[in-house]
Amino acid sequence: MPNHNQYLFLLSFSLTFGILLLVSFWVSAFLTARDIHLRNLILIGLPKDPQHPEMDVHSIQDFIKTFTQEDAIALVQTPAFLASAGLAAVAFYWLAFSGERKPVLNPNEWKEFPLVLKTQVSPNTAIYRFSLPSSKDVFGLPVGQHIQVSAEINGKDIMRSYTPTTLDQFDKGHFDLLIKTYEKGNISRHFSLLKIGDRIRVKGPKGAFIYNNKLTGHLGLIAGGTGISPMYQIIRSSIWDHSDATTINLIYANVNEEDILLRDELEHLHHNSAGRFNIFYVLNNPPPGWKGGVGFVTKEQVAHYMPSQDKDCKILMCGPPPMMSAMKKHLDELKYPAPRTVSKLADQVFLF
Ligand SMILES: Cc1cc2nc3c(=O)[nH]c(=O)nc-3n(C[C@H](O)[C@H](O)[C@H](O)COP(=O)(O)OP(=O)(O)OC[C@H]3O[C@@H](n4cnc5c(N)ncnc54)[C@H](O)[C@@H]3O)c2cc1C
């Protein structure tokens, strides 16, 4: 299959060729009407054709001198000229304004993307960057949704979900996945073994949650480990959208301080949020002088940092299953509605 650039080349080549052909037809017809024969012009300097008397070169200069305003008007009104001008305008528009590309993701088709960069961000977690076919391409993932990644491992096709940290409105030509490697994990380990240039198979978008700036007045986010990926996407989209007034409070739990993922990015967003976005970190093993939470996330911390259930709010959660079970219990005791087994966008408590 030709790619976008090859299509563009073929199109511009055909248009240029078509325009030149039409213009040559028109010039030929115009000159013939004035009894000037192109064949004689082309044969200047070659032996004379007795059938066609040689044309004097000076007659071209005479022709230019006698070219009147009426001739110009007649020229621009000819169908060939109008068709040529129309084609030229289409070609110009296409070349100048075809920068926005169609989304690359397709929910019904597996697509392959090569790894172009791997950045280790904690002892067991890395950001994997995959390139799209063109540097102008957008991935096509609505904010809050995720993708499926599939790989053949020991003869079996295995599939897992991942949430890119990149956003269509800011990131063109690539997408990033923040992935924690589990020693005995299937797909996460497969990622850790990828070399630059290796491809992964991806399908999407998937998922019931799509963020927009009118969704709710207050967002309460509870994340553990790589569960920060969907949260980061939503926070980033909301904070850089100046028409978005949603307040966002995040509780982010990890084992050690070096496990806190995207910390600089989250703090940058906090400092640029004009008070709209606040973070409370919780660590199992805090360093001396730690000011955040210690141990597991408690019911009191949920009550303090999350918007109360009687407000226009939504609670979003993503993290390891044991942590999510504990959070559901806290929320239940605080009178939030229980999340469904498979969450829906309309739910007040949404579990990714
Ligand atoms: C909507 C959605 C979005 C997700 N987004 C991301 C993301 O952006 N980044 C990311 O890293 N993950 C994300 N996940 C989790 C991801 O889909 C996989 O579950 C994870 O990478 C483990 O898959 P695996 O095939 O390596 O391990 P599996 O083959 O499923 O598990 C094998 C073994 O790995 C270990 N293991 C696997 N998962 C865990 C865990 N959570 N805690 C402790 N041990 C574990 C256990 O030892 C387990 O027995 C997301 C999940 C969902 C549902």
Side-chain angles (χ1 to χ4, degrees), residues 94-162:
W94 176 268
L95 290 169
F97 300 108
S98 65
E100 253 336 281
R101 308 287 306 272
K102 270 195 182 163
V104 172
L105 264 184
N106 183 333
N108 305 312
E109 195 189 322
W110 288 103
K111 301 228 172 167
E112 293 201 348
F113 302 97
L115 177 71
V116 289
L117 186 70
K118 177 179 172 181
T119 312
Q120 203 68 37
V121 291
S122 86
N124 50 22
T125 306
I127 295 176
Y128 299 83
R129 175 162 291 183
F130 296 90
S131 75
L132 302 179
S134 151
S135 59
K136 289 179 182 169
D137 280 336
V138 290
F139 196 36
L141 189 82
V143 180
Q145 286 198 298
H146 60 270
I147 55 168
Q148 286 181 309
V149 174
S150 144
E152 196 189 305
I153 296 169
N154 300 328
K156 274 198 220 156
D157 266 340
I158 300 189
M159 210 159 67
R160 297 283 181 270
S161 302
Y162 293 95

Side-chain angles (χ1 to χ4, degrees), residues 125 144-147 153 158-165 177-191 206-207 226-230 318-322 352:
T125 306
Q145 286 198 298
H146 60 270
I147 55 168
I153 296 169
I158 300 189
M159 210 159 67
R160 297 283 181 270
S161 302
Y162 293 95
T163 316
T165 51
L177 298 178
L178 175 75
I179 296 181
K180 175 171 177 180
T181 302
Y182 299 99
E183 209 182 315
K184 293 189 180 138
N186 280 289
I187 298 287
S188 65
R189 191 163 170 275
H190 173 76
F191 269 104
K206 293 265 167 192
T226 50
I228 195 65
S229 302
C318 191
F352 281 98

Side-chain angles (χ1 to χ4, degrees), residues 293-309:
V294 174
F296 291 130
V297 178
T298 64
K299 187 174 95 179
E300 290 65 35
Q301 289 163 351
V302 173
H304 187 264
Y305 291 103
M306 295 294 101
S308 70
Q309 45 79 28

Side-chain angles (χ1 to χ4, degrees), residues 11-320:
L11 183 79
S12 59
F13 177 80
S14 316
L15 281 176
T16 311
F17 185 75
I19 290 168
L20 287 174
L21 204 66
L22 285 170
V23 168
S24 80
F25 282 150
W26 177 83
V27 168
S28 172
F30 191 81
L31 292 176
T32 306
R34 298 182 152 240
D35 209 23
I36 299 169
H37 297 279
L38 275 180
R39 189 171 17 177
N40 293 340
L41 284 175
I42 291 162
L43 288 177
I44 288 167
L46 293 177
K48 285 179 195 170
D49 178 354
Q51 298 280 304
H52 300 90
E54 191 189 9
M55 206 191 98
D56 185 354
V57 179
H58 295 297
S59 61
I60 288 289
Q61 286 154 1
D62 294 343
F63 163 70
I64 292 166
K65 275 187 206 148
T66 57
F67 191 80
T68 62
Q69 197 179 356
E70 286 75 39
D71 291 333
I73 292 167
L75 167 67
V76 296
Q77 286 175 346
T78 56
F81 184 90
L82 292 174
S84 305
L87 282 174
V90 169
F92 173 78
Y93 182 84
W94 176 268
L95 290 169
F97 300 108
S98 65
E100 253 336 281
R101 308 287 306 272
K102 270 195 182 163
V104 172
L105 264 184
N106 183 333
N108 305 312
E109 195 189 322
W110 288 103
K111 301 228 172 167
E112 293 201 348
F113 302 97
L115 177 71
V116 289
L117 186 70
K118 177 179 172 181
T119 312
Q120 203 68 37
V121 291
S122 86
N124 50 22
T125 306
I127 295 176
Y128 299 83
R129 175 162 291 183
F130 296 90
S131 75
L132 302 179
S134 151
S135 59
K136 289 179 182 169
D137 280 336
V138 290
F139 196 36
L141 189 82
V143 180
Q145 286 198 298
H146 60 270
I147 55 168
Q148 286 181 309
V149 174
S150 144
E152 196 189 305
I153 296 169
N154 300 328
K156 274 198 220 156
D157 266 340
I158 300 189
M159 210 159 67
R160 297 283 181 270
S161 302
Y162 293 95
T163 316
T165 51
T166 36
L167 286 176
D168 285 355
Q169 72 244 52
F170 303 126
D171 305 290
K172 308 268 186 270
H174 68 270
F175 67 95
D176 290 351
L177 298 178
L178 175 75
I179 296 181
K180 175 171 177 180
T181 302
Y182 299 99
E183 209 182 315
K184 293 189 180 138
N186 280 289
I187 298 287
S188 65
R189 191 163 170 275
H190 173 76
F191 269 104
S192 72
L193 300 174
L194 289 177
K195 290 189 281 305
I196 300 299
D198 287 350
R199 293 171 169 264
I200 56 158
R201 267 191 296 159
V202 170
K203 197 158 80 169
K206 293 265 167 192
F209 190 86
I210 298 182
Y211 181 74
N212 73 71
N213 59 16
K214 301 281 176 289
L215 188 66
T216 183
H218 307 277
L219 271 180
L221 313 178
I222 306 177
T226 50
I228 195 65
S229 302
M231 310 305 184
Y232 175 64
Q233 228 196 30
I234 292 163
I235 300 161
R236 194 174 165 216
S237 159
S238 169
I239 296 306
W240 295 131
D241 175 358
H242 297 298
S243 61
D244 191 335
T246 314
T247 67
I248 307 176
N249 279 358
L250 167 71
I251 296 180
Y252 185 23
N254 281 285
V255 178
N256 299 307
E257 191 174 20
E258 70 259 30
D259 297 328
I260 300 175
L261 303 170
L262 302 169
R263 189 175 187 173
D264 290 345
E265 290 83 350
L266 289 168
E267 276 166 25
H268 182 65
L269 286 164
H270 162 67
H271 292 303
N272 285 280
S273 72
R276 264 207 305 129
F277 167 51
N278 294 295
I279 318 165
F280 180 67
Y281 296 106
V282 179
L283 289 180
N284 292 144
N285 306 321
W290 174 250
K291 293 197 175 69
V294 174
F296 291 130
V297 178
T298 64
K299 187 174 95 179
E300 290 65 35
Q301 289 163 351
V302 173
H304 187 264
Y305 291 103
M306 295 294 101
S308 70
Q309 45 79 28
D310 54 357
K311 274 188 165 176
D312 165 30
C313 77
K314 277 188 188 295
I315 307 291
L316 314 181
M317 300 196 294
C318 191

